[in-house]
Amino acid sequence: MRFGEMLRQARGAKGLTQAELGAEVYSPSFISLLEQGQRQPTPDMVRHFAAQLGMDVQTLGWWVESPAADDQPALATAMFAANYARDLQDDSLAASEAEHAAVIAHEQQNAPAWWDMSMLQAQSLISRRRLEEAEAVLRRMHSSPLLAPTPEMSSIVLGRLSIIARSLGRLDEAVALAQEAVQIVEHLADHDASVRFQATFILIAALSVKGDLDDAWDVATGLDLIPDSVTVPSLLIARGAWAVGNIAFRRGDIEKGREYHALAARLLLPQADLAAWAQFHRSSATLHLQAGLADASVRRSLDFAELGFTVIGTEAQRLELALALARYALLVADLDTAGRFLGTVSGQRELLDFETLTDLEECLGLYYTALGSGRQASRHLGEAARLYAEAGADEKARELTDQIRALDA
């Protein structure tokens, strides 16, 4: 009996659907491929299915047919399937296909293919908000003897780990990982500047969320971005301007923030990178709104973000946009609309990262303040303060505590 037949029979005996067997870890599409014998499971998959079916791992593993070590077509087919799932924006399927391809590449000692597929698996898991699983993949990559990591590769992995730590509210760890990522590549030649810049952007974000705004500003201004000297559209320069503008806004320098975001808006083109274009406009609108600005340019950024996320965007990104729209509605005193958007976001808290979750609690505080319900406003602001304090963002926690005292006075 082959593994696929065994899996299908065991699933039927337990009365499970393919979705129930996958348990939001492996997609029904991928399980269908396994049951048809078109894919073979990785060890992690066998452990997952055995747990779901109540079977012994070793018993289920007996039916796995490992590919031959020199079966190059099997690797090519697996990589094609993973990349195809990515292109279809099916992150769940892409994660499964990439995991499958990465195991084959590892067995064949094909380091570049193993690296590419492992990175695709990690990124797909991040997009699905399966952050702990993505973290485990990245840590295996960082410690694997298969591919002696270059400084560039190490920096990329550490940067991804920093993003995950930041998303989970482990802010001290996020800063430390980002600092290490920057240090590893700070002496690379000029032609490798993109790696240095990307690591620096991640460090700026980690410092910013933690509330270390002066340190973040020192790092950001060290990028030596001069808006007047930029004449050729460049995604790298755009991301740098985006990062510098973010810090300027958070430090209260609205004029400088708008200047750098205007530069980023000129250089970020939807036809070059639609995902980055949409995410920038959502982020820029949010920072403008947090500064109390709700003019026509902010409305335009919100419209651009909505357009982009309609074409390419995750559910988490669409929730971030809904939260920005709630802030906009609060500023223009449309409380009914604000309440609808806040209800939508609150109903899917499990998809929110640390920064969005704390922003939601702050927005709810503003909403209930506008409704004249000081007690509920204090409760939500208090929750935001608690989250910041637990994450190590003490300054932000103190600011919110002061707001609560003012409400209660």
Side-chain angles (χ1 to χ4, degrees):
M1 184 183 294
R2 295 181 177 180
F3 178 84
E5 296 171 355
M6 178 69 176
L7 185 66
R8 183 174 61 253
Q9 290 185 14
R11 178 174 64 80
K14 292 287 288 187
L16 299 176
T17 66
Q18 290 177 336
E20 289 169 340
L21 178 61
E24 297 186 356
V25 176
Y26 298 106
S27 70
S29 299
F30 190 76
I31 292 173
S32 178
L33 292 170
L34 286 168
E35 292 184 349
Q36 294 172 46
Q38 296 182 34
R39 299 289 186 277
Q40 287 296 308
T42 67
D44 284 345
M45 292 177 191
V46 172
R47 284 188 286 271
H48 169 87
F49 295 136
Q52 293 296 108
L53 294 167
M55 295 180 63
D56 179 72
V57 174
Q58 186 175 13
T59 300
L60 188 59
W62 281 339
W63 306 102
V64 178
E65 302 171 55
S66 300
D70 59 350
D71 190 353
Q72 296 300 321
L75 176 58
T77 299
M79 292 180 68
F80 175 83
N83 289 320
Y84 185 65
R86 177 204 60 199
D87 294 343
L88 290 176
Q89 299 176 43
D90 187 338
D91 293 314
S92 180
L93 181 59
S96 301
E97 295 282 22
E99 179 184 348
H100 172 63
V103 168
I104 297 175
H106 193 277
E107 290 174 351
Q108 296 183 7
Q109 296 294 291
N110 187 328
W114 170 80
W115 168 270
D116 289 344
M117 290 297 99
S118 295
M119 284 300 296
L120 176 55
Q121 181 190 1
Q123 190 56 51
S124 299
L125 291 169
I126 290 170
S127 296
R128 292 285 298 173
R129 293 289 301 157
R130 290 159 56 184
L131 300 182
E132 291 85 356
E133 294 173 66
E135 187 173 36
V137 172
L138 290 164
R139 291 199 180 281
R140 283 199 299 269
M141 292 176 68
H142 193 54
S143 61
S144 174
L146 176 62
L147 184 65
T150 65
E152 296 92 335
M153 290 175 174
S154 291
S155 180
I156 290 169
V157 171
L158 289 167
R160 295 289 193 281
L161 287 169
S162 174
I163 292 171
I164 290 173
R166 187 175 83 230
S167 296
L168 294 173
R170 298 177 346 224
L171 302 186
D172 287 331
E173 180 183 349
V175 170
L177 286 165
Q179 287 173 333
E180 186 178 354
V182 170
Q183 292 168 359
I184 287 174
V185 293
E186 63 183 353
H187 299 303
L188 291 182
D190 289 342
H191 68 271
D192 292 317
S194 63
V195 180
R196 292 203 309 272
F197 267 64
Q198 293 294 346
T200 303
F201 301 157
I202 293 170
L203 175 57
I204 290 170
L207 290 167
S208 175
V209 174
K210 190 173 183 298
D212 296 340
L213 298 181
D214 289 341
D215 290 342
W217 183 249
D218 289 342
V219 175
T221 52
L223 292 172
D224 293 326
L225 294 170
I226 304 174
D228 292 339
S229 71
V230 179
T231 57
V232 179
S234 164
L235 183 58
L236 190 63
I237 297 297
R239 287 185 177 276
W242 179 358
V244 176
N246 288 352
I247 301 304
F249 270 111
R250 287 177 170 132
R251 295 178 80 237
D253 191 342
I254 307 304
E255 182 178 350
K256 185 66 70 175
R258 299 192 80 161
E259 174 188 345
Y260 275 99
H261 274 202
L263 172 62
R266 291 201 304 272
L267 299 178
L268 269 174
L269 305 175
Q271 59 268 38
D273 191 331
L274 181 60
W277 178 79
Q279 186 66 3
F280 162 73
H281 280 289
R282 196 282 308 165
S283 171
S284 182
T286 296
L287 287 164
H288 278 78
L289 292 165
Q290 288 174 345
L293 303 173
D295 55 21
S297 67
V298 175
R299 183 68 253 184
R300 186 167 57 251
S301 280
L302 291 170
D303 290 341
F304 285 162
E306 188 168 15
L307 177 63
F309 290 150
T310 299
V311 178
I312 179 171
T314 65
E315 187 60 30
Q317 288 173 324
R318 285 185 277 271
L319 289 172
E320 291 169 1
L321 175 59
L323 189 55
L325 290 166
R327 272 194 180 272
Y328 182 87
L330 285 170
L331 285 176
V332 300
D334 184 354
L335 297 185
D336 288 343
T337 299
R340 285 197 301 273
F341 280 123
L342 289 170
T344 296
V345 180
S346 294
Q348 299 185 70
R349 287 170 174 262
E350 70 280 1
L351 295 178
L352 306 181
D353 64 10
F354 170 81
E355 192 171 0
T356 309
L357 182 59
T358 51
D359 193 26
L360 170 63
E361 293 294 346
E362 290 186 60
C363 279
L364 286 167
L366 294 172
Y367 173 68
Y368 283 111
T369 298
L371 288 177
S373 179
R375 178 175 296 180
Q376 286 180 290
S378 294
R379 180 168 65 85
H380 287 290
L381 293 175
E383 177 62 12
R386 182 189 68 80
L387 290 169
Y388 276 118
E390 289 181 354
D394 297 331
E395 183 61 33
K396 185 63 178 177
R398 282 192 290 270
E399 289 176 11
L400 289 167
T401 301
D402 290 342
Q403 289 184 39
I404 295 169
R405 291 198 185 102
L407 279 172
D408 295 340

